[in-house]
Amino acid sequence: MISVDGRNFADEYWGKKPLLSRASDLTASFDDLMSPSAVDELISRRGVRIPFARMAKDGSLLDQSQFTSSGGFGAEMPDQLDSAAILSAFAGGHTLVLQGLHRLWPPLIDFVRDLVDDIGHPSQVNAYITPASSRGFDPHYDVHDVFVLQISGEKRWILHPPVYTHPLADQPWSDRRSAVEQQAREVPTVDTVLAPGDALYLPRGWIHSAEALGDTTIHLTIGVASFNEFDVATQLIGLLADDAGLREPLPAGIDLTDSDALAPHIDRVLDSIGSILADIQGDPELRRRIARGLATRFVAATRPEPVQPLKTVAFMTSLDADSSVVWRRGSTASIDVDGGKVHLGLRGTTISLPAECSAAVIQLRAGKVCRVGDLAGLDTESAIVVTRRLLREGVLVPAV
């Protein structure tokens, strides 16, 4: 979805400036990811519910009650998309946004899983379906990086440089509305039309707006919640809570509105933090705690590839030495050996196996397809038992 190689993108564009990639410069189209018929199917036949959709016109959101209703007998949830109401609103000029499609639509579930593996940051997908010659949202910036994939129709994109570089998740454009509006009145850095198969990368903070031209247009917006060095600093600050001195209360009777009264306490805190930071810098275990904190946040923000329960149970029933398995993509695990056990730390749980399984676990964790009978350090019977356990826990999946 980009027209330059990965290294060039990482060095020249990632987090720095937009990249426009024309369909003629890309190796594949996006037809397999989304289409007008797929949008109709999601609206009319998939029981999609709020918050997986919203509608907007000229920068204002439509109340969800205007395009949702109950599913009727056997599906009485009141917030399902009402296809007839959406038709009416769409014909009246409202843009439809289908959100979180990386959790709903099979081609995008797989696509985003691959993207997270490639780019290393949490990602998600929305689809924007805009009526002819309509604008859904005012000029704004996002607090995440964006890849725009044009699916059908043509859409004009107007881009302006940031008024606030690299905004964090809690620094939305609405906090700087007047500055954004003023910047949007300046000569744009990019003013272009995306046609089907074109792609556009926008770093977070870049101001943008889009307008459909001619017929209905559909584009996918892939949002990437890129981690940053402030995230590292946040984990580091968390370690300061371990210092008892910093947890002491300020004096009783202090006037917290008096900057002179606070000055000596601020100086002491700065001195303490400097000493603590020096200790952290020299302590590999504390540095690993920072890394583990980032890893925990990443795992919480992403999902491993889906498992197929019925297929897996059937596979487990006929499991033998010639069966092949592979580590579930996106399933992150720490591996520790102690007390005669090997412990796999997974999302929300820990699996403990006999220590003699450690070589096999490390072999599987490498992500290569493994024949059960070839698992390191285990006889066939033990290998089958261990494999069946890891399949049941969703750590492994059948390699078929």
Side-chain angles (χ1 to χ4, degrees), residues 95 128-130 134 136 148 150 152-157 192-195 209-213 217-219:
T95 289
Y128 289 76
I129 304 94
T130 306
S134 295
V148 176
Q150 190 68 24
S152 67
E154 294 187 339
K155 185 165 282 189
R156 180 188 179 195
W157 285 80
T192 190
V193 174
L194 294 190
S209 61
E211 179 183 1
L213 304 177
T217 74
I218 301 172
H219 76 265

Side-chain angles (χ1 to χ4, degrees), residues 69-375:
S69 64
S70 170
F73 177 66
E76 289 87 353
M77 292 78 72
D79 59 353
Q80 295 179 73
L81 298 192
D82 184 321
S83 56
I86 287 178
L87 168 60
S88 177
F90 189 77
H94 284 81
T95 289
L96 170 66
V97 186
L98 295 173
Q99 304 183 139
L101 291 177
H102 61 297
R103 300 293 296 160
L104 289 177
W105 191 241
L108 290 173
I109 292 172
D110 297 335
F111 177 81
V112 170
R113 179 65 260 163
D114 291 340
L115 177 63
V116 171
D117 289 343
D118 288 342
I119 209 165
H121 297 269
S123 303
Q124 57 90 231
V125 183
N126 294 345
Y128 289 76
I129 304 94
T130 306
S133 304
S134 295
R135 176 176 61 85
F137 296 91
D138 289 332
H140 65 283
Y141 67 72
D142 293 320
V143 294
H144 49 261
D145 295 75
V146 168
F147 292 91
V148 176
L149 310 183
Q150 190 68 24
I151 301 299
S152 67
E154 294 187 339
K155 185 165 282 189
R156 180 188 179 195
W157 285 80
I158 299 174
L159 314 182
H160 291 83
V163 296
Y164 191 76
T165 305
H166 306 313
L168 300 175
D170 60 353
Q171 298 172 329
W173 77 274
S174 54
D175 289 350
R176 296 167 179 83
R177 185 183 297 272
S178 61
V180 168
E181 291 173 348
Q182 180 177 341
Q183 182 79 303
R185 290 192 287 268
E186 301 296 326
V187 176
T189 302
V190 175
D191 186 344
T192 190
V193 174
L194 294 190
D198 292 344
L200 177 65
Y201 165 70
L202 288 174
R204 71 181 191 269
W206 273 75
I207 299 166
H208 57 278
S209 61
E211 179 183 1
L213 304 177
D215 296 332
T216 295
T217 74
I218 301 172
H219 76 265
L220 298 178
T221 293
I222 302 167
V224 181
S226 54
F227 278 50
N228 51 73
E229 292 189 353
F230 184 76
D231 292 314
V232 178
T234 299
Q235 296 298 322
L236 189 154
I237 291 169
L239 295 183
L240 300 181
D242 291 344
D243 185 84
L246 291 177
R247 299 198 305 269
E248 289 182 11
L250 294 176
I254 190 171
D255 183 355
L256 294 174
T257 66
D258 183 348
S259 58
D260 291 334
L262 286 172
H265 300 286
I266 294 172
D267 290 340
R268 279 197 291 274
V269 168
L270 290 173
D271 289 342
S272 296
I273 290 175
S275 175
I276 294 168
L277 292 181
D279 291 341
I280 292 172
Q281 194 164 21
D283 189 331
E285 177 52 33
L286 290 177
R287 293 159 66 93
R288 282 192 289 270
R289 279 182 58 186
I290 294 172
R292 287 196 296 269
L294 288 170
T296 298
R297 279 195 54 208
F298 174 79
V299 169
T302 58
R303 291 292 180 272
E305 69 171 313
V307 296
Q308 298 174 286
L310 301 188
K311 176 181 177 180
T312 303
V313 168
F315 180 80
M316 289 165 54
T317 301
S318 59
L319 194 68
D320 60 25
D322 290 324
S323 301
S324 293
V325 294
V326 67
W327 193 272
R328 182 184 177 191
R329 281 197 309 145
S331 180
T332 304
S334 62
I335 300 175
D336 298 299
V337 180
D338 70 81
K341 297 281 188 179
V342 55
H343 306 285
L344 278 70
L346 302 163
R347 184 196 305 264
T349 188
T350 298
I351 298 172
S352 297
L353 300 168
E356 56 266 27
C357 300
S358 58
V361 168
I362 293 170
Q363 178 187 357
L364 290 162
R365 184 63 184 85
K368 301 291 181 62
V369 173
C370 294
R371 179 178 172 272
V372 173
D374 295 333
L375 290 181

